[in-house]
Amino acid sequence: METLSNTTERTLDLFGMTCANCALRIEKGLSKMDGVYEVRVNFARESVFLRTSDSVSIGSLLEKVESLGYSALVHDANKQSETEKKQKEQIRNLKVRFLLSVFFSLPLFYGMVTHFQFLSFIPMPHFLMDRFVQMAIAFPVQFLIGFPFYKSAYRALRNGSANMDVLVVIGTSAAYGYSIFGKDLYFETSAVLITFILGGKWIEHFAKGKSSDGINALLKLRPETATVKSNGEWTEVPNEYLKQGDMVLVKAGERFPMDGIVSEGASFADESMLTGESMPVEKKIGDSILSGTVNGNGSLVVKATKVGNDTTLSHIIRSVEESLGTKAPIQRIADQISAYFVPIVISISLIDFFVWYFAFTPGDITSAIETSIAILVIACPCALGLATPISLLVGTGRAAKHGVLFRSAEALESVSKINWIAFDKTGTLTEGKPKVTEMIHFGLEQASQDQILKNVVRMEQTSDHPLAKAIVGYGKEKNLLPNSDLLVSTKTFPGGGIQSEQEGNYYVAGKRTFVEESGFIISKSIQESITTWSEDGSSLVFVGIRGNIEGMIVFRVEDSLRNDAKEAISSLKSMGVEPVLLTGDHPNSANKVAELVGISAVYAGLLPEEKAKIIVTFKTEKIHSAMVGDGINDAPALASADVGIAMGTGSDVAIQTADVVLVNGDIQRIVDLISIGKDTVTNIRQNFVWALGYNLLGIPIAASGLLLPWVSGAAMAFSSISVVLNALRMSRWK
């Protein structure tokens, strides 16, 4: 007997699922295989996670999925092209089927509405009422465009279950068949119903296809090649060939292809995509390097310590993959209802047929068929299928006017329950752009101060360093930008700073240690301010001047607070939502920002995985959480939270991973977001109640023989219209 110690974890991408019952069918089918210990199908992500014995081959798993009527591919986060291609083909196929169905159904729908007396004034071409004309128009919708419904229904029944496709097939086929042999025509009922359902499925698959965009953007952070030292020479090799211990050369501006330790050189690294720290981090011999981060202004030789799927970036990708696609409770309820709804309706229809044929109208098969068809038609899940997407459409349109983009119906439901919301600091509560907030100096006379600052700005203009750009921005604010035509010669020291000579003076700018090593002494008169600034977590740039003038300037560089941050936090508190700060920044800097905006709970110095763990911890305490962020480093937390909220001014990865996007990066919109979410979820629930209540009322009436099939068809259409009108009410709400 095999033990669980000899197990392998595998993930497959699935294709062809149409509803939650399909996911359940795949789970049951794979669970019956020998050597399969655990199966978890994610319908939203269209994937299945398996824990199996080592003896179970990938081929046997793929064959089992195919025998159940679906297809699958081995999931590889590094190679998504084939999966994306199949997903796009599915979406394109649904779109084509829907548009063709609309084309054929419109004449039949036109003929149906003219039956209503209040629309009798509309001219009706006589030939459209011909049985054979309607049969010919409805045929391609029913049996060609609608053929996949037949396939899905057959597979479901063959495996001992029933999904919505079973009811769609029976109801539309009954309406089509009766129209051929019966007295009345109901071809429009079958064709229009299939058209409605295809439209809903197209929207659903399109939205699900977008869920992989965030992971693809993360994958783009991983360089395709790396420069490795081999036999004393530098050779470019594919990234997947990297091994632990390899010496890798990374030039200025390139991304690091692995985690490692600096062996040679000095530079700065932009780690904002992983840590959220907006300031570049100094890298010298012995310092650690993270994959996906960007090398600054010097070449580095790095010894690889983690490669491939073991890197920090790979862990982030896996975290996002595992967290995306959670199913909303309201949808789970709908899935549970549908699992029982279909067989119950079919059973009621069959029982009603026999009751009428043998008891109420003995031997009258026409009456028995009419009542049975009336039940199937009036119970068709058109209104139930429209309940969520139409409310989502109206709710998201209303939100878009306020600069809020919802990415799914799940997000609409989840935001209405938020009672705990975490904020990243950099780029969320702050602008994400370093800015000089204060400057002190000594040894500079007022008459020469402006010219000295112009020379400093001129020197910093030659650097691409973010702190240098902050000083140039300061010069622009003070109208101290020098003549751009006047060139200045500078010398850059990676990891230290910059030097230049201008107008008989020698300038040195950079870190404190770099300036001190250049022979400058920090005056006691400014030591106290420097200490205070450092304790606040501010970045400091020292500038020493020697020559005709002897002196020093110290710039305090900070990430400015957003103008709307304090007001937004106050509004959220008044709504009963508790704000928390999660950041990778220095604790001093984090505490200062938290104090300014009014946040009492602060978690600082966090890695991306640690942010996500804190979110998960609060979720286990039954706290409904939200995460607001803008960077790649926020992706795991955004995916782990019940609701991920991304700033539209942030990274593509954050935007694609999040459930909600604030288009203009205005965190005041979070208050609107919660309000709109509550309104929309209420509307969705009203639609579900109406759709199910309609069936509960309509089925008994149809079973009693009081509704002819065409009246049931009209009632079915009216139920859908009612759901749409209920959703449209939201567009008028303030």
Side-chain angles (χ1 to χ4, degrees):
M1 181 176 177
E2 297 181 70
T3 64
L4 288 177
S5 60
N6 301 316
T7 61
T8 300
E9 294 182 353
R10 299 183 171 108
T11 301
L12 305 179
D13 293 318
L14 300 172
F15 306 94
M17 292 192 296
T18 60
C19 67
N21 284 344
C22 296
L24 182 62
R25 187 155 64 250
I26 294 174
E27 272 189 7
K28 288 182 177 179
L30 291 172
S31 298
K32 293 178 181 178
M33 294 180 62
D34 293 333
V36 175
Y37 305 123
E38 182 181 358
V39 182
R40 284 186 281 134
V41 175
N42 188 322
F43 175 58
R45 287 286 293 156
E46 295 185 310
S47 64
V48 56
F49 168 84
L50 302 110
R51 183 174 285 110
T52 70
S53 164
D54 293 340
S55 62
V56 178
S57 67
I58 285 290
S60 63
L61 294 173
L62 296 178
E63 288 177 5
K64 182 62 177 179
V65 173
E66 290 181 4
S67 71
L68 294 170
Y70 308 92
S71 59
L73 290 174
V74 178
H75 177 77
D76 186 348
N78 299 312
K79 299 177 181 178
Q80 288 286 298
S81 58
E82 191 171 352
T83 298
E84 288 177 12
K85 184 178 179 181
K86 292 200 71 170
Q87 288 174 340
K88 288 179 180 178
E89 286 178 355
Q90 276 190 325
I91 295 171
R92 186 165 52 249
N93 179 267
L94 277 170
K95 179 181 178 180
V96 171
R97 288 171 60 204
F98 170 65
L99 293 177
L100 286 174
S101 187
V102 169
F103 174 76
F104 285 107
S105 299
L106 280 175
L108 297 172
F109 182 75
Y110 178 80
M112 181 180 73
V113 298
T114 56
H115 281 87
F116 296 104
Q117 190 167 356
F118 68 92
L119 295 176
S120 59
F121 64 90
I122 298 176
M124 177 64 192
H126 181 72
F127 76 94
L128 280 181
M129 299 307 298
D130 184 83
R131 183 187 302 272
F132 295 103
V133 170
Q134 289 199 11
M135 182 173 66
I137 294 174
F139 180 86
V141 178
Q142 184 70 40
F143 299 107
L144 301 179
I145 299 171
F147 181 69
F149 290 115
Y150 284 88
K151 286 178 62 177
S152 176
Y154 169 72
R155 291 167 182 165
L157 294 173
R158 186 184 64 183
N159 287 279
S161 62
N163 57 10
M164 283 294 189
D165 291 340
V166 172
L167 190 55
V168 170
V169 165
I170 294 177
T172 58
S173 297
Y176 189 92
Y178 183 81
S179 299
I180 296 175
F181 302 106
K183 296 180 292 183
D184 300 307
L185 305 180
Y186 308 111
F187 292 112
E188 74 282 348
T189 299
S190 64
V192 171
L193 178 60
I194 288 174
T195 302
F196 271 123
I197 294 171
L198 282 174
K201 287 184 178 292
W202 173 36
I203 295 171
E204 175 190 343
H205 278 73
F206 182 80
K208 287 197 296 184
K210 285 291 183 183
S211 63
S212 62
D213 288 353
I215 294 175
N216 293 337
L218 282 173
L219 292 172
K220 291 178 182 177
L221 296 179
R222 185 181 296 160
E224 295 183 358
T225 61
T227 304
V228 180
K229 197 168 190 177
S230 177
N231 298 322
E233 296 183 357
W234 294 109
T235 306
E236 191 173 273
V237 300
N239 190 17
E240 56 263 30
Y241 290 173
L242 278 177
K243 327 184 280 294
Q244 276 189 340
D246 278 347
M247 303 302 292
V248 182
L249 174 64
V250 183
K251 299 177 181 178
E254 294 182 342
R255 291 190 182 275
F256 295 99
M258 74 296 159
D259 292 357
I261 303 294
V262 177
S263 295
E264 299 177 28
S267 182
F268 281 84
D270 179 0
E271 297 184 343
S272 59
M273 66 287 295
L274 294 182
T275 66
E277 175 56 64
S278 57
M279 304 297 181
V281 180
E282 180 185 5
K283 297 297 178 182
K284 57 185 184 300
I285 295 174
D287 289 340
S288 60
I289 294 295
L290 300 176
S291 60
T293 59
V294 180
N295 189 16
N297 52 2
S299 295
L300 295 175
V301 176
V302 184
K303 182 178 180 180
T305 56
K306 293 181 180 180
V307 298
N309 293 326
D310 293 329
T311 65
T312 301
L313 179 60
S314 295
H315 285 307
I316 291 176
I317 293 172
R318 280 200 297 275
S319 177
V320 174
E321 284 187 314
E322 291 171 1
S323 300
L324 280 172
T326 55
K327 186 179 294 185
I330 197 169
Q331 190 58 50
R332 286 197 293 269
I333 293 172
D335 292 340
Q336 292 170 357
I337 292 173
S338 67
Y340 296 101
F341 182 72
V342 177
I344 288 174
V345 169
I346 294 174
S347 300
I348 292 173
S349 178
L350 289 173
I351 292 171
D352 186 75
F353 172 83
F354 290 115
V355 168
W356 276 88
Y357 185 73
F358 291 107
F360 292 167
T361 56
D364 186 355
I365 194 170
T366 300
S367 297
I369 289 177
E370 281 187 348
T371 55
S372 296
I373 292 177
I375 292 172
L376 292 172
V377 171
I378 204 168
C380 276
C382 188
L384 194 62
L386 280 172
T388 296
I390 192 62
S391 293
L392 174 62
L393 180 63
V394 177
T396 52
R398 177 181 168 215
K401 294 179 181 178
H402 291 76
V404 177
L405 297 182
F406 286 99
R407 298 178 62 83
S408 67
E410 290 85 350
L412 279 170
E413 178 181 11
S414 294
V415 297
S416 65
K417 304 174 183 176
I418 292 174
N419 52 21
W420 185 91
I421 185 164
F423 290 89
D424 175 47
K425 181 182 80 69
T426 305
T428 303
L429 294 175
T430 65
E431 296 288 350
K433 298 176 182 178
K435 183 178 180 181
V436 174
T437 56
E438 288 186 66
M439 182 200 80
I440 56 175
H441 64 85
F442 67 91
L444 301 182
E445 296 180 2
Q446 187 65 37
S448 61
Q449 182 178 328
D450 285 355
Q451 185 57 44
I452 292 296
L453 284 173
K454 281 186 178 182
N455 291 339
V456 172
V457 171
R458 181 183 290 115
M459 176 177 61
E460 297 290 9
Q461 281 180 320
T462 65
S463 174
D464 289 330
H465 197 286
L467 296 182
K469 292 180 179 179
I471 294 173
V472 173
Y474 178 77
K476 185 177 181 180
E477 288 180 6
K478 300 297 183 181
N479 295 316
L480 295 173
L481 284 181
N483 187 345
S484 59
D485 295 332
L486 181 61
L487 300 178
V488 59
S489 176
T490 61
K491 185 176 181 180
T492 301
F493 295 83
I498 190 171
Q499 296 177 353
S500 77
E501 290 188 23
Q502 301 178 62
E503 300 176 350
N505 288 314
Y506 171 61
Y507 293 82
V508 178
K511 297 167 55 180
R512 176 174 180 171
T513 54
F514 175 71
V515 173
E516 287 179 328
E517 288 170 0
S518 300
F520 293 90
I521 299 174
I522 306 299
S523 168
K524 291 183 180 179
S525 63
I526 61 172
Q527 184 65 51
E528 185 177 340
S529 294
I530 293 173
T531 302
T532 302
W533 291 353
S534 298
E535 289 175 351
D536 284 346
S538 303
S539 296
L540 306 183
V541 179
F542 293 80
V543 182
I545 306 102
R546 179 186 300 132
N548 298 327
I549 298 173
E550 300 284 338
M552 179 170 287
I553 302 172
V554 182
F555 294 98
R556 182 184 192 180
V557 183
E558 296 180 289
D559 192 2
S560 303
L561 195 69
R562 285 180 179 270
N563 294 330
D564 54 357
K566 185 175 182 179
E567 185 179 351
I569 296 300
S570 176
S571 298
L572 288 171
K573 284 183 174 180
S574 67
M575 297 175 68
V577 179
E578 180 66 26
V580 178
L581 181 61
L582 303 183
T583 178
D585 283 4
H586 192 279
N588 290 342
S589 177
N591 287 324
K592 179 182 178 182
V593 170
E595 183 179 354
L596 289 173
V597 299
I599 295 177
S600 56
V602 180
Y603 299 82
L606 303 175
L607 290 173
E609 296 90 343
E610 292 172 330
K611 288 184 181 181
K613 286 180 181 178
I614 291 174
I615 295 284
V616 172
T617 299
F618 276 91
K619 287 175 68 175
T620 59
E621 297 176 7
K622 300 189 184 301
I623 293 175
H624 203 78
S625 66
M627 173 69 193
V628 185
D630 75 318
I632 295 170
N633 63 298
D634 299 317
L638 288 170
S640 297
D642 293 302
V643 183
I645 304 171
M647 310 297 281
T649 52
S651 71
D652 289 341
V653 174
I655 291 171
Q656 295 295 344
T657 304
D659 304 295
V660 185
V661 179
L662 308 181
V663 178
N664 296 321
D666 181 2
I667 63 174
Q668 276 281 38
R669 299 282 75 79
I670 296 176
V671 178
D672 296 330
L673 177 158
I674 295 174
S675 176
I676 293 171
K678 288 181 177 180
D679 290 344
T680 306
V681 169
T682 299
N683 194 263
I684 291 173
R685 289 173 175 163
Q686 289 171 349
N687 286 344
F688 274 128
V689 170
W690 169 255
L692 293 173
Y694 157 83
N695 283 318
L696 292 175
L697 179 63
I699 289 174
I701 296 174
S704 67
L706 298 177
L707 291 179
L708 292 173
W710 78 266
V711 177
S712 293
M716 181 272 294
F718 176 74
S719 72
S720 300
I721 294 171
S722 299
V723 166
V724 172
L725 292 176
N726 183 52
L728 290 176
R729 290 188 307 118
M730 285 194 298
S731 62
R732 300 193 299 270
W733 295 349
K734 295 183 180 180

